């Protein structure tokens, strides 16, 4: 059965980008990248806001390059469907990508219920809407050892959800995976 996953790299102070929108501090090392690649294989559809879609477009244009976790992730990402929520974006021209003008919780619930693979939501605005509507099943948070100080938050303000820790894993580069189930 498919679920709605919230999977993000974040700082210990709960930021997914800095105040200038940069996230170069979050670049995973090879070990972490390979682990993320393995987890992302279960995802058949990604739900993004405009900004996250623009960031993730990088993977659409990755060339062949040498074998490794980045090339592997590019193939995983390119094979998945993408839904972008934006009122300002022109219709995407990228393969497997469609534009929705608003985040409709009922439509997302139906998408997840009919999916044969997991659906992943990323980006502060669509994730906030998904959390607010009680749609998120699991959180996969990759915490990297950098305090960012300010910028977009990992979790939305004003939304309370109880979480049950399912897994934790430490990586040699200092990152930690915290995998939680959202308690209903």
């Amino acid at each position: 059965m498919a679920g709605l996953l919230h999977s993000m790299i974040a700082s210990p102070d709960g930021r997914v980008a800095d105040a200038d929108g940069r996230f170069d501090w979050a670049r995973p090392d090879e070990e972490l990248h390979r682990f993320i690649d393995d987890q992302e294989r279960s995802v058949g559809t990604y739900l993004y806001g405009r900004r996250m879609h623009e960031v993730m477009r990088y993977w659409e244009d990755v060339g062949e390059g040498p074998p490794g976790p980045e090339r592997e992730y590019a193939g995983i990402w390119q094979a998945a469907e993408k839904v972008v929520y934006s009122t300002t974006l022109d219709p995407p021209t990228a393969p497997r990508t469609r534009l929705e003008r608003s985040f409709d919780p009922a439509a997302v619930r139906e998408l997840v219920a009919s999916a044969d693979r997991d659906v992943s939501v990323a980006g502060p605005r669509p994730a906030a809407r998904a959390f607010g509507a009680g749609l998120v099943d699991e959180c996969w948070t990759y915490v990297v050892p950098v305090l960012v100080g300010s910028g977009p938050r990992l979790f939305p303000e004003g939304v309370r959800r109880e979480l049950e820790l399912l897994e934790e894993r430490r990586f040699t580069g200092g990152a930690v995976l915290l995998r939680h189930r959202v308690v209903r």
Side-chain angles (χ1 to χ4, degrees):
M1 185 172 138
L4 183 60
L5 311 177
H6 178 257
S7 178
M8 294 289 294
I9 295 175
S11 64
D13 56 349
R15 306 300 174 174
V16 295
D18 65 20
D20 296 321
R22 292 189 321 263
F23 53 91
D24 52 336
W25 50 269
R27 185 181 182 106
D29 63 17
E30 185 170 337
E31 177 193 21
L32 180 57
H33 212 308
R34 287 189 188 285
F35 184 86
I36 291 171
D37 289 358
D38 288 343
Q39 303 314 304
E40 295 292 306
R41 287 182 214 295
S42 74
V43 175
T45 305
Y46 291 99
L47 309 179
Y48 297 135
R50 179 195 54 82
R51 172 79 173 116
M52 183 60 74
H53 167 68
E54 290 171 349
V55 167
M56 296 305 288
R57 280 288 313 249
Y58 167 82
W59 298 106
E60 194 67 51
D61 301 323
V62 170
E64 288 301 310
E70 287 193 7
R71 186 167 148 194
E72 184 80 16
Y73 181 77
I76 294 165
W77 188 85
Q78 290 168 7
E81 300 295 321
K82 279 74 92 181
V83 180
V84 181
Y85 299 96
S86 174
T87 59
T88 60
L89 192 66
D90 290 331
T93 57
R96 300 179 180 273
T97 304
R98 78 173 195 264
L99 178 66
E100 295 289 340
R101 292 298 178 193
S102 65
F103 186 96
D104 178 5
V108 173
R109 188 174 285 110
E110 184 178 315
L111 172 70
V112 174
S114 66
D116 58 350
R117 297 177 62 205
D118 289 328
V119 177
S120 177
V121 62
R125 287 188 182 100
R129 291 182 184 114
F131 274 107
L135 300 175
V136 178
D137 296 302
E138 286 191 14
C139 302
W140 292 66
T141 307
Y142 301 92
V143 182
V144 296
V146 178
L147 292 175
V148 177
S150 63
R153 297 175 53 86
L154 172 65
F155 295 114
E157 292 215 29
V159 175
R160 181 184 172 115
R161 295 285 181 259
E162 298 294 322
L163 304 176
E164 175 188 355
L165 183 63
L166 299 176
E167 178 182 0
E168 66 177 275
R169 179 178 172 150
R170 295 175 189 212
F171 297 89
T172 57
V176 176
L177 163 67
L178 298 174
R179 180 177 160 229
H180 291 91
R181 180 179 67 84
V182 178
V183 178
R184 305 245 187 242

